[in-house]
Amino acid sequence: MTDSQLRDHYERKYAGERAAAAIRGIERTDSPVNREQAALKYLAGRLHGSVLELGAGDGAVAAALLAACPAITGYTLGDISAPRIEGVARRLRDPRVRTLLVDAEAVDPEGESYDALVMIALVEHLIDPLRALQRLRAVLRPGGFLYLDTPNIAKYTRRLQLLRGRFPSTASGNEGLTTYEGQPVDLHDEGHLHYFSFRSLSLLLTQRCGFSRVEVCPYACGRLLLGRTLETRLARQWPGAFSELAVMAYA
């Protein structure tokens, strides 16, 4: 796998976002059931100064955080996909916003610095997450933090799949070979190259990437087999087995 293969994949996958309609709203709730609601819960009111979000998506998270964090003075949205960046730049009209076509693994550690980094559903796509996170730690200002969200490979639903002898794919079905819409994937498991647990990600961030400590940000997500109320409680009590993986890593 090369960075050009990944870039080509995401150029095709998100080609329609150049002309996408208005940015979606995100519900603000204390019991989030998806990664966007979780980001809003844990980051609302906490962001200030200059923020870099890598893997900008369709701009929905950025729009919600800009509304919830008046202390943000600058918000840079970076993505490897030109259609996504062009679509976000057209739809998100806020004087604090700028867009950047960038590979997250090629951010210049000697370049601009930021008070906070946001990475949602991105680290699992990187070819070399260890060195990428080392470079990104270098652009954080003193006192800054990284908010990172990625699938938890140790979540109980995926443990059950392993017990059944199934590969616990995190972005597709049929052992990573079919999209959720039933079409053949272009990349195995839709380009997910790495899989993390809370422990493995925390050790990576603190022992190898220079972060001082990691704070768990639990939330229930996906197939809530036990019901929303119970799974939300279990995610908070035992995030390693019942939450998707979201953390705050401090400089």
Side-chain angles (χ1 to χ4, degrees):
M1 180 69 64
T2 66
D3 57 352
S4 62
Q5 284 178 290
L6 289 175
R7 184 179 292 105
D8 290 344
H9 170 74
Y10 297 119
E11 292 279 330
R12 292 191 301 271
K13 183 174 181 178
Y14 299 116
E17 292 195 10
R18 280 193 175 97
I23 291 177
R24 302 172 292 110
I26 298 174
E27 178 189 1
R28 187 167 178 177
T29 173
D30 191 51
S31 300
V33 292
N34 61 54
R35 60 196 181 212
E36 295 170 333
Q37 291 178 356
L40 185 55
K41 171 186 175 177
Y42 288 109
L43 293 175
R46 297 188 65 171
L47 295 176
H48 63 88
S50 182
V51 178
L52 171 63
E53 181 184 350
L54 292 167
D58 62 3
V61 170
L65 292 176
L66 284 161
C69 303
I72 293 175
T73 57
Y75 199 111
T76 301
L77 288 122
D79 204 286
I80 197 173
S81 170
R84 287 203 130 172
I85 285 297
E86 292 170 19
V88 168
R90 179 177 57 82
R91 295 189 303 274
L92 190 52
R93 300 294 186 178
D94 187 302
R96 295 172 290 175
V97 169
R98 69 166 181 161
T99 56
L100 184 65
L101 185 63
V102 63
D103 183 343
E105 301 194 60
V107 172
D108 183 2
E110 302 296 327
E112 186 172 350
S113 60
Y114 300 90
D115 295 294
L117 303 177
V118 178
M119 294 174 62
I120 298 171
L122 174 62
V123 70
E124 65 272 17
H125 295 270
L126 302 182
I127 295 172
D128 186 352
L130 191 157
R131 285 170 181 78
L133 289 168
Q134 289 173 340
R135 294 170 69 92
L136 291 170
R137 168 64 184 85
V139 306
L140 266 180
R141 295 170 182 165
F145 64 85
L146 161 69
Y147 178 82
L148 191 156
D149 184 293
T150 188
N152 176 11
I153 196 62
K155 189 180 175 186
Y156 83 97
T157 50
R158 298 181 183 117
R159 298 188 195 202
L160 291 175
Q161 286 179 285
L162 284 171
L163 284 173
R164 297 170 60 207
R166 303 290 183 84
F167 170 63
S169 53
T170 54
S172 56
N174 188 29
E175 308 288 319
L177 300 178
T178 307
T179 68
Y180 292 137
E181 293 73 32
Q183 301 300 313
V185 297
D186 183 38
L187 295 177
H188 183 258
D189 203 12
E190 287 291 82
H192 285 199
L193 305 177
H194 304 276
Y195 302 90
F196 301 91
S197 66
F198 274 102
R199 175 176 168 78
S200 70
L201 183 64
S202 297
L203 291 176
L204 172 66
L205 291 166
T206 55
Q207 293 189 6
R208 296 299 303 278
C209 298
F211 289 88
S212 62
R213 63 184 180 92
V214 171
E215 174 186 327
V216 173
C217 303
Y219 68 99
C221 184
R223 298 176 60 193
L224 304 182
L225 303 179
L226 306 177
R228 179 170 181 166
T229 300
L230 178 57
E231 292 222 12
T232 295
R233 185 181 306 122
L234 291 170
R236 291 170 178 169
Q237 292 179 342
W238 295 290
F242 291 95
S243 171
E244 289 295 5
L245 207 172
V247 300
M248 208 86 74
Y250 293 90

